Amino acid sequence: MKLTGAQILLKCLEEEGVDVMFGFPGGAVIDIYDEIPNSKVEHILVRHEQGAIHAADGYARATGGVGVCLVTSGPGATNTVTGIATAYADSIPVVIFTGQVPRPLIGNDAFQEVDIVGITRPCTKHNYLVQDIKDLQTIIKQAFYLARSGRPGPVLVDLPKDVQQQTIEFDYPKEVSMRSYNPTKEPHIGQVRKVAKLLKKAKKPLFYTGGGVITSAAHEELTWLGQKLNIPVTSTLMGLGAFPGDDGLFLGMLGMHGTYAANMAVNNCDLLLAVGARFDDRVTGRVDSFAPGATIVHIDVDPTSIQKNVSVHVPIVADCKSALAALKKETEATLGDFDWAGAHKEWVDEVQGWSAEHPLTYKDDGKSIKPQYVVEKIYEITKGDAIIATEVGQNQMWAAQFYKYTRPNTLLTSGGLGTMGYGFPAAMGAQRAFPDKLVIDIAGDGSIQMCIQEMMTVVCNKLPVKIIILNNGYLGMVRQWQELFYEKNYCSTCMDAQPDFVKLAEAYGAVGFRVTEKKDVEKTLREAFKVDKPVIVDIRVEKEENVYPMVPAGASLTEMLLV
Amino acid sequence: MSKHTLSVMVENEPGVLSRVAGLFSGRGFNIMSLNVAPTLEKGVSLMTIVAEGDDAIIEQIVKQLRKLIPTIKVKDLTELKSVEREMVLVKVNAEDSKRAEILRIVDIFRCKVVDVSADELTIEITGDQGKIGAIVNLLTRFGIKEIARTGNVAMQRSMQIDL
């Protein structure tokens, strides 16, 4: 039976197992919207396209699957660019469908026309303009395959309106074959053996793990290796949750706002096992003094990540899960005859000594509400059993430092791009994926205002996301930099003029709480978490609290400012 | 810093040149010349890219090129025995008194005169970078009015032997 391009798109989504997409209609996609009521794919109408793409991203991160978003041409498409770049920076699989003006009008500056394929070329893994209805099904198949395989990422498909209206036989390809794209999955076994040997010789080994461990679902292998071979683990922001955050071997995050123990461990280790991490400048600080005495092993599915920022001794191009599984197999045989626990005991003691010496902490004056205290309470109440999304800035760093992530896919945060406004719509996507889970957006008063319009989406779709605003009346992280490095010139970081967040919640039909006293924090949070509706909790925290430890930009990791 | 000649085979799909060029501009890589044309195989184009950078940068360029979805193959010909050629058209001043000398140079370098007028000669030069550099240098003193260059095209030699 012949179907229209619009019908075919929806059929293909069903074939790919897509149950929901986030989107916003417009003239160039109206044919698709005309068919949505006949499809099994649910559509969630957002209030701004940035909300749609972040929600699809949050859905992907929480489920480990692919997120889908559908928007119209021109401004609809350009409004997704920030979210596409966010997903690209963190290697998140999302497929974005954009409407395009009819083919005869392309290039004529038609109404709501923009070259979105050109605009998103540098921030997508790949993108397509469907020029021929005959290619539509192959392109959709390839888009999903590219998004989720190798190093995942966003893939955009631009659909001209007349292609949506043309008809063709529905015949969704079963297989994808692309001669130019064959990502390496399995590790080179010789390299893995080399690592196993290095591990036996090492006195001070350290795992430095990133988002790749979560993307490839390698958390079990990582946990096994860390615990059985007695190797401490530090993680990037993106990697939190891959190794149990409450395990004594876990040192917390490394880098600019990493723990003292993690940064000292990097500086003193003799073998650094980098897994699914890319030596980002927020992690390394000054590159030439990063892990100065260490042999560096780097496991990454993307060859361009290897040797990009630091020079690596043993490169392994492979999927993290396959590589760690191979390493597990290599070392498993030696468990009986080699005393792994003993071999690294002294080192683990030393590292844990650093943790005890300078734990993550803050000065509590007993009067004001410290933002760290709020995050600690959220952890206590949820017992770690929640999905946490964050905005970007101080709120994000405190959420990374003071909440212990024990499972993968439970922290949704814009690591690479640092997108303010990400957390709330991402939480919305995660809540749609897990309607019964507690999903919390830890926000700042600045960033929550960047996508606040999605309050309407969560209310009318009954997605009971909890927004906890650590409200300090500042764009806190920039203010912190201004305080420390720009002689307290607080230019344009004061956000005294604010909406009444409680009334705002109520205006949208959600529930609002305000907390101004420390004694009310726990009680209010408990109450908020019980409400079966979206909630905003506006917590007035200490205004000039800083995130510590802090490594100033460009300094080496040992030059930490402590509390 | 050194010059590297890269041979890049790509799927000949819309926008592929822009993907490659955008990779260089977006990542701050230095591109010296880029030549692209179809191959015998349907749907496949060959690009010859001359790029400059230290070893780490060239390694990144090669890896990033390989990472592009339409890229089929990338070879760094600098590491191999290869043949490199560029074609240049040069229009030089050639009043009567200079004409004989210019024609002698054309002869010595085995080039071709492809257009003549009363006071100009247009010369077609094909050769490696050294030859082209030398003849362009020699012609400069007559006054070059226009120059058009293709950029390098290159191919790996069949026999990779050291003599």
Side-chain angles (χ1 to χ4, degrees):
Chain A
M1 195 178 64
K2 285 198 169 185
L3 301 178
T4 65
Q7 289 167 329
I8 283 175
L9 167 64
L10 291 162
K11 279 270 189 201
C12 294
L13 295 182
E14 286 173 11
E15 292 279 322
E16 288 293 333
V18 176
D19 67 329
V20 64
M21 59 181 165
F22 301 87
F24 200 97
V29 281
I30 199 164
D31 291 273
I32 300 168
Y33 278 85
D34 194 45
E35 292 297 337
I36 287 178
N38 308 322
S39 160
K40 279 182 236 158
V41 184
E42 184 194 344
H43 176 268
I44 291 186
L45 172 66
V46 296
R47 295 304 188 266
H48 185 292
E49 288 87 352
Q50 188 177 352
I53 176 76
H54 288 327
D57 172 314
Y59 178 93
R61 292 189 206 221
T63 60
V66 182
V68 178
C69 132
L70 169 66
V71 297
T72 193
S73 64
T78 54
N79 275 346
T80 64
V81 173
T82 303
I84 294 174
T86 305
Y88 186 64
D90 291 339
S91 310
I92 306 302
V94 225
V95 178
I96 306 101
F97 294 99
T98 50
Q100 183 55 277
V101 300
R103 283 170 302 165
L105 292 183
I106 291 178
N108 288 357
D109 306 322
F111 176 65
Q112 294 195 327
E113 183 195 353
V114 75
D115 172 16
I116 195 64
V117 167
I119 289 173
T120 58
R121 212 167 265 145
C123 61
T124 48
K125 182 170 172 184
H126 196 53
N127 57 16
Y128 298 89
L129 168 63
V130 183
Q131 309 235 37
D132 190 329
I133 182 88
K134 289 207 285 293
D135 301 332
L136 178 64
Q137 305 180 57
T138 311
I139 286 177
I140 296 173
K141 184 82 191 170
Q142 286 184 359
F144 277 89
Y145 172 62
L146 287 175
R148 62 162 76 96
S149 61
R151 180 179 183 170
V155 179
L156 182 140
V157 182
D158 201 20
L159 302 160
K161 187 176 165 97
D162 58 327
V163 172
Q164 296 167 35
Q165 293 166 335
Q166 284 182 318
T167 58
I168 197 166
E169 205 64 40
F170 178 69
D171 180 19
Y172 196 54
K174 295 271 173 293
E175 301 273 311
V176 179
S177 123
M178 299 170 78
R179 65 176 155 183
S180 61
Y181 176 76
N182 295 295
T184 310
K185 198 167 187 294
E186 294 304 320
H188 187 283
I189 200 67
Q191 296 290 82
V192 175
R193 289 200 179 117
K194 211 185 272 180
V195 177
K197 269 195 203 135
L198 283 170
L199 264 174
K200 266 192 162 178
K201 270 200 295 187
K203 294 269 172 293
K204 302 176 169 191
L206 177 70
F207 269 116
Y208 146 48
T209 58
V213 178
I214 291 178
T215 312
S216 70
H219 48 279
E220 278 169 17
E221 288 79 2
L222 172 69
T223 307
W224 188 95
L225 285 164
Q227 289 173 345
K228 292 282 182 200
L229 311 185
N230 200 27
I231 302 171
V233 179
T234 176
S235 158
T236 69
L237 176 63
M238 291 301 298
L240 292 174
F243 190 83
D246 51 3
D247 190 300
L249 286 165
F250 189 64
L251 311 179
M253 195 167 65
L254 79 164
M256 183 174 275
H257 294 297
T259 63
Y260 179 80
N263 286 344
M264 291 302 286
V266 172
N267 195 58
N268 288 281
C269 67
D270 62 1
L271 178 63
L272 186 74
L273 301 142
V275 190
R278 61 191 172 92
F279 297 87
D280 179 80
D281 55 279
R282 283 292 189 269
V283 158
T284 60
R286 239 180 75 186
V287 176
D288 56 9
S289 57
F290 182 77
T295 302
I296 300 181
V297 175
H298 191 184
I299 300 172
D300 204 300
V301 73
D302 178 5
T304 64
S305 283
I306 295 173
Q307 309 286 18
K308 187 170 66 180
N309 298 333
V310 300
S311 147
V312 169
H313 305 93
V314 187
I316 299 182
V317 176
D319 171 71
C320 292
K321 192 181 177 75
S322 307
L324 291 185
L327 188 58
K328 179 181 171 201
K329 208 171 145 211
E330 280 300 311
T331 47
E332 206 163 19
T334 63
L335 281 183
D337 52 60
F338 186 78
D339 177 17
W340 288 100
H344 308 140
K345 185 179 179 306
E346 230 171 275
W347 168 237
V348 171
D349 287 348
E350 188 179 8
V351 166
Q352 286 172 341
W354 286 321
S355 285
E357 205 179 319
H358 292 290
L360 277 173
T361 185
Y362 55 95
K363 287 196 183 113
D364 197 350
D365 58 11
K367 285 187 290 224
S368 63
I369 305 174
K370 292 285 181 160
Q372 300 93 329
Y373 169 80
V374 177
V375 177
E376 278 178 345
K377 283 292 155 201
I378 295 174
Y379 176 67
E380 264 178 49
I381 297 168
T382 61
K383 300 185 183 68
D385 186 23
I387 295 174
I388 304 291
T390 81
E391 302 295 336
V392 165
Q394 288 183 319
N395 62 80
Q396 179 184 33
M397 289 300 114
W398 287 319
Q401 291 177 332
F402 290 89
Y403 190 98
K404 293 187 181 71
Y405 301 89
T406 50
R407 275 185 298 279
N409 308 97
T410 55
L411 170 64
L412 320 176
T413 192
S414 170
L417 198 70
T419 308
M420 289 174 73
Y422 167 79
F424 174 38
M428 173 170 96
Q431 186 80 78
R432 169 56 186 75
F434 299 103
D436 301 327
K437 273 224 149 202
L438 182 58
V439 181
I440 302 166
D441 176 34
I442 296 180
D445 49 301
S447 37
I448 192 61
Q449 294 188 57
M450 283 207 171
C451 281
I452 193 76
Q453 73 287 344
E454 299 310 328
M455 280 305 292
M456 201 63 255
T457 314
V458 292
V459 168
C460 72
N461 286 281
K462 300 194 168 48
L463 300 170
V465 173
K466 309 291 181 278
I467 302 171
I468 313 298
I469 303 178
L470 305 175
N471 188 343
N472 56 13
Y474 277 116
L475 299 175
M477 189 57 95
V478 185
R479 188 212 56 77
Q480 175 170 340
W481 282 51
Q482 288 172 329
E483 175 191 329
L484 299 174
F485 313 116
Y486 293 85
E487 293 164 351
K488 295 197 178 186
N489 180 15
Y490 293 169
C491 177
S492 297
T493 43
C494 183
M495 280 231 163
D496 268 353
Q498 281 182 336
D500 180 328
F501 287 110
V502 173
K503 279 190 186 161
L504 187 134
E506 287 164 0
Y508 277 112
V511 177
F513 294 97
R514 178 166 297 114
V515 183
T516 53
E517 303 281 333
K518 189 179 174 188
K519 64 177 173 44
D520 298 329
V521 170
E522 185 172 345
K523 186 176 69 181
T524 313
L525 286 174
R526 283 186 189 280
E527 202 177 332
F529 295 162
K530 276 193 206 121
V531 179
D532 192 26
K533 273 184 166 187
V535 176
I536 292 181
V537 187
D538 175 20
I539 305 182
R540 301 301 171 91
V541 298
E542 170 70 39
K543 287 176 77 69
E544 299 200 3
E545 185 65 18
N546 287 342
V547 181
Y548 290 119
M550 179 178 195
V551 177
S556 43
L557 288 190
T558 48
E559 299 172 62
M560 278 167 279
L561 308 173
L562 298 165
V563 176
Chain B
M1 295 285 269
S2 58
K3 262 200 306 193
H4 285 245
T5 304
L6 308 175
S7 175
V8 186
M9 201 180 274
V10 293
E11 297 283 357
N12 187 10
E13 57 186 43
V16 66
L17 176 59
S18 147
R19 281 182 209 283
V20 171
L23 186 155
F24 277 81
S25 60
R27 293 187 181 271
F29 298 144
N30 194 7
I31 197 164
M32 298 177 78
S33 76
L34 193 161
N35 181 294
V36 52
T39 61
L40 279 181
E41 196 175 344
K42 202 168 166 259
V44 176
S45 282
L46 187 73
M47 294 187 180
T48 308
I49 303 174
V50 181
E52 197 178 43
D54 59 27
D55 288 352
I57 287 177
I58 298 294
E59 183 181 338
Q60 264 302 307
I61 292 176
V62 170
K63 284 177 171 176
Q64 294 286 355
L65 283 169
R66 283 191 182 132
K67 189 174 163 180
L68 291 178
I69 307 294
T71 304
I72 300 167
K73 200 173 190 179
V74 182
K75 265 194 288 191
D76 186 348
L77 294 178
T78 320
E79 294 161 359
L80 302 160
K81 304 266 182 252
S82 61
V83 197
E84 293 189 23
R85 290 291 180 272
E86 179 172 7
M87 197 186 85
V88 183
L89 292 173
V90 193
K91 192 180 280 174
V92 286
N93 279 326
E95 55 265 32
D96 291 346
S97 60
K98 307 285 186 202
R99 190 165 293 235
E101 194 181 348
I102 295 173
L103 288 174
R104 230 179 353 257
I105 293 171
V106 167
D107 201 32
I108 292 167
F109 279 86
R110 290 182 216 113
C111 306
K112 252 195 283 184
V113 174
V114 290
D115 188 40
V116 188
S117 74
D119 53 358
E120 286 172 359
L121 283 173
T122 302
I123 303 161
E124 174 195 317
I125 312 160
T126 307
D128 61 17
Q129 302 273 303
K131 173 178 166 181
I132 286 164
I135 186 168
V136 169
N137 199 20
L138 281 171
L139 293 175
T140 304
R141 63 198 167 100
F142 303 103
I144 293 178
K145 300 184 96 173
E146 250 184 277
I147 187 160
R149 308 178 64 149
T150 60
N152 255 14
V153 289
M155 196 175 273
Q156 181 183 341
R157 280 192 191 277
S158 304
M159 289 199 279
Q160 297 285 314
I161 41 175
D162 282 312
L163 293 174

